[in-house]
Amino acid sequence: ASSIGLAVIVPSAAWAIALLSLSFGSLTFAAASVWSLPADVAPNPKYVGSIGGIQNFASNLAGICITYFVGQMLAQTGGFVVPLMVAGGFALLGAFSYLVIVPEIKTIRKKRIANPDVPMRIMIRLSFSMSANRAFSGKTTPIDQPLAGNGA
């Protein structure tokens, strides 16, 4: 995809078209791998759509920014040399990021709780058994007495 930057320095239009085609073909080829990443890193299937949506948002935001940038550069310089060189530079930066910055791509693991309802079930059972014991014994406990200073 970085061949897009070379399209501005070749001597003929045919070479420029060939390099632009190579760049577009490379980006299209890489898109399949990029769009499979959400399914690879999601902790379970219900998060794939959210991760894909975040990825899509970032891609569309970049598309908005580059469109504005190309328009500004075209208005200032009258040509596409700077925008194409910048696009090639970003393609190289992206490739560098995947090679060096991004660690091994693996599934995001969530911390597992054995059964999150177990503590609540235990508390309900304890509360019920304590209430039943107080009801049958007729004794009050500090739990039954009002808190000091609450106006009760």
Side-chain angles (χ1 to χ4, degrees):
S2 60
S3 63
I4 196 169
L6 300 175
V8 296
I9 59 172
V10 293
S12 70
W15 274 106
I17 290 173
L19 289 172
L20 289 171
S21 298
L22 176 66
S23 175
F24 181 73
S26 299
L27 287 171
T28 304
F29 181 74
S33 298
V34 170
W35 277 105
S36 69
L37 285 176
D40 290 340
V41 300
N44 62 42
K46 72 179 184 179
Y47 293 110
V48 173
S50 297
I51 294 171
I54 293 168
Q55 178 179 313
N56 196 27
F57 169 77
S59 299
N60 285 324
L61 186 62
I64 292 168
C65 293
I66 196 67
T67 303
Y68 177 78
F69 174 75
V70 168
Q72 290 297 313
M73 289 297 104
L74 187 59
Q76 290 179 9
T77 65
F80 288 96
V81 174
V82 173
L84 289 174
M85 294 297 277
V86 169
F90 274 112
L92 288 174
L93 179 66
F96 176 77
S97 298
Y98 272 101
L99 290 174
V100 178
I101 298 171
V102 176
E104 178 185 355
I105 297 172
K106 55 187 172 183
T107 302
I108 300 168
R109 299 283 179 209
K110 289 176 41 175
K111 292 181 181 177
R112 296 193 71 212
I113 299 173
N115 186 348
D117 293 334
V118 169
M120 185 55 71
R121 289 182 195 155
I122 292 171
M123 291 301 293
I124 291 170
R125 285 183 188 153
L126 284 174
S127 175
F128 178 74
S129 65
M130 288 173 61
S131 297
N133 286 340
R134 282 194 303 267
F136 292 117
S137 68
K139 297 180 184 175
T140 60
T141 63
I143 295 173
D144 298 325
Q145 298 169 356
L147 296 174
N150 69 352

